[in-house]
Amino acid sequence: MSPKELLYIEDALGHEQQMKKSCCDFASQLQDAELKNFVQGLCGRHQKTFDGFFGLLG
């Protein structure tokens, strides 16, 4: 991979990590069970995307 591609992946990893943290934080504050489950699902999706980008490095 080129240095530019590695920088893109590093940036994407940071964004996904931040989105996962935000979703998990928001989910912990929600009272509505259905909405909480939905946001927790988003948290899981961001983790899966993070794992996919991280897998490109290996």
Side-chain angles (χ1 to χ4, degrees), residues 9-20:
I9 292 173
E10 181 180 295
D11 192 41
L13 285 170
H15 286 291
E16 287 302 322
Q17 195 171 35
Q18 181 60 41
M19 288 302 297
K20 178 190 171 224

Side-chain angles (χ1 to χ4, degrees), residues 15-40:
H15 286 291
E16 287 302 322
Q17 195 171 35
Q18 181 60 41
M19 288 302 297
K20 178 190 171 224
K21 182 184 180 317
S22 295
C23 287
C24 291
D25 289 347
F26 292 142
S28 71
Q29 298 173 19
L30 292 170
Q31 300 296 320
D32 182 88
E34 186 176 348
L35 185 56
K36 185 174 190 157
N37 286 337
F38 176 77
V39 176
Q40 285 174 331

